[in-house]
Amino acid sequence: MWSELNYRREFLRSAPLEMDNHLRQSLYFTTAFVAGIIATVGIQEILRFWRSSTSDAHSEIDYSQYAADGITLRDSSLTGDEQPYTPRIVQGIEGCIGNTPLLRIKSLSDVTKCEILAKAEVIMVPSPPPETCLANNSDLEQFLNGAGGSPKDRVALGIINAAEAEGLLTPHSGDTIYEGTVGSTGISLATLCRARGYRAYICMPSDQSAEKSDLLLKLGATVDHVLPAPITSPNQFVNLARRLATQHTNSPIRPGRGFFADQFENPANYLTHYHTTGPEIHRQTNGSLSAFICGAGTGGTISGVSMFLKPRVPGLRVVLADPQGSGLFNKVRFGVMFGEKEKEGTRRRHQVDSIVEGIGINRVTANFEAGRELVDDAVRVSDEQAMAMARWLVEKDGIFVGSSSAVNCVAAVQTALSLGPGHTVVTILSDSGARHLSKFWAQAGDIDPDSNMTLEDILNAGNNGSNSL
């Protein structure tokens, strides 16, 4: 019994102490919890105030200097709507055309001591890393032309829009767009025809790369392969397309009308580049460029871009990049339209004696004539130089281009070397190597991983020493 009384006495004596310890622990944890909430809210308010008070300072910081290769830093002080490189929703495949990035070709820039920038109008394999794109937010919303995958997307859309505005085309009425093309314009038209409710009928020379013809068929176009012929022949591919469009329109039994796109003579071609490509280049370079280099097939790109840039960029030089055998080099240099190979009567085909497709021609088109007086000089590029440059771009930069782009880059290098270090030279990447596998790249050959090719090797390829400016 005494032991039980002692137990109760000791329990009563120690109970207040244990209850007091428990109370203190509860108060401690409650206080810590409340303090944590207050601290969190306070820190958030302090950060919000600091960000708002220093937003101007943030906008002046060049975050790119802290970015490692291949990493794009984001400014966490901006809201979701303000974050850079945020894609927006566009209306259909047409919304993916234009606003392409300006790509700094690192290897060519380093070796020439100039900034060699290329308007990336095509899908290349692999795609260029983010740190090489000189672009603002809107430029990356449509990363490369997303319809036919070439600058001809711009032209095709411009021609269709102009024809619809003039009442020459009506969607989903059975209208068919006819065009004579070596491939790229036809691919762009075929893509947009499917999107806009038209049929596409493409006439193209039979000696073009098989990839283009196969792709046109997959896009639902009718493809008419035409034997190479001079422009004076009624069976030349452009003349055939024009004639077929007229026959369609005049037919009492065929649905819809036939519309001849006429990319070589249609002013919608150069006007499209005047209103889109030219302004984009001006904005991306802040109007600071020394030369613009471009080849010419229809002549729409070089004319439209030059017409926009020349009045806005004092001292700008516009240089034509022309493949061997084309007459435009002589037209610009000497005012006479003839080609060395044509004069000798040794042309392999109707257009130019070259493996290059898409640029080079032996007549003056309305689109080229529109801006011809703005072209300051021309560079003639041999097939060997073009193939060497194409291999260089893969070996040094991982950029896989076709023949026209390679010609442009050779001419851009020659122009940069003639101007000297410190200048900015802009050109166009107009075709992907994926469309030139069976022809241009078949002759260019495979890439040598141990290649020690130099820029002098490219310029001296084919022993052509007549290309310098």
Side-chain angles (χ1 to χ4, degrees), residues 123-182:
I123 298 174
M124 297 165 290
V125 182
S127 296
E131 79 274 11
T132 61
C133 297
L134 307 179
N136 60 21
N137 297 2
S138 63
D139 293 321
L140 291 179
E141 289 172 354
Q142 296 92 31
F143 188 73
L144 313 181
N145 285 312
S150 83
K152 295 300 184 180
D153 288 349
R154 300 176 186 264
V155 175
L157 183 59
I159 289 175
I160 291 175
N161 285 340
E164 288 179 344
E166 295 175 19
L168 301 175
L169 282 173
T170 303
H172 306 289
S173 66
D175 287 354
T176 299
I177 297 178
Y178 292 80
E179 182 59 304
T181 168
V182 296

Side-chain angles (χ1 to χ4, degrees), residues 218-292:
K218 297 300 182 184
L219 290 170
T222 299
V223 181
D224 197 341
H225 295 99
V226 182
L227 291 175
I231 189 65
T232 54
S233 170
N235 294 320
Q236 194 260 3
F237 68 101
V238 174
N239 294 334
L240 178 61
R242 180 188 291 108
R243 186 168 69 253
L244 291 175
T246 301
Q247 292 174 357
H248 183 156
T249 300
N250 295 335
S251 174
I253 60 174
R254 299 192 64 179
R257 297 165 292 178
F259 172 74
F260 177 47
D262 200 13
Q263 60 167 326
F264 290 90
E265 313 300 328
N266 193 330
N269 185 338
Y270 81 83
L271 288 174
T272 294
H273 290 291
Y274 177 85
H275 289 296
T276 64
T277 317
E280 289 173 27
I281 292 173
H282 188 266
R283 185 181 71 248
Q284 289 168 317
T285 60
N286 293 319
S288 179
L289 64 158
S290 308
F292 174 68

Side-chain angles (χ1 to χ4, degrees), residues 90-155:
V90 297
Q91 291 296 322
I93 197 68
E94 306 97 313
C96 299
I97 296 173
N99 286 320
T100 55
L102 198 58
L103 174 74
R104 180 179 185 267
I105 303 180
K106 294 185 287 187
S107 67
L108 298 181
S109 298
D110 293 344
V111 74
T112 62
K113 308 303 181 184
C114 289
E115 290 297 290
I116 306 293
L117 311 179
K119 199 83 165 83
E121 294 283 289
V122 297
I123 298 174
M124 297 165 290
V125 182
S127 296
E131 79 274 11
T132 61
C133 297
L134 307 179
N136 60 21
N137 297 2
S138 63
D139 293 321
L140 291 179
E141 289 172 354
Q142 296 92 31
F143 188 73
L144 313 181
N145 285 312
S150 83
K152 295 300 184 180
D153 288 349
R154 300 176 186 264
V155 175

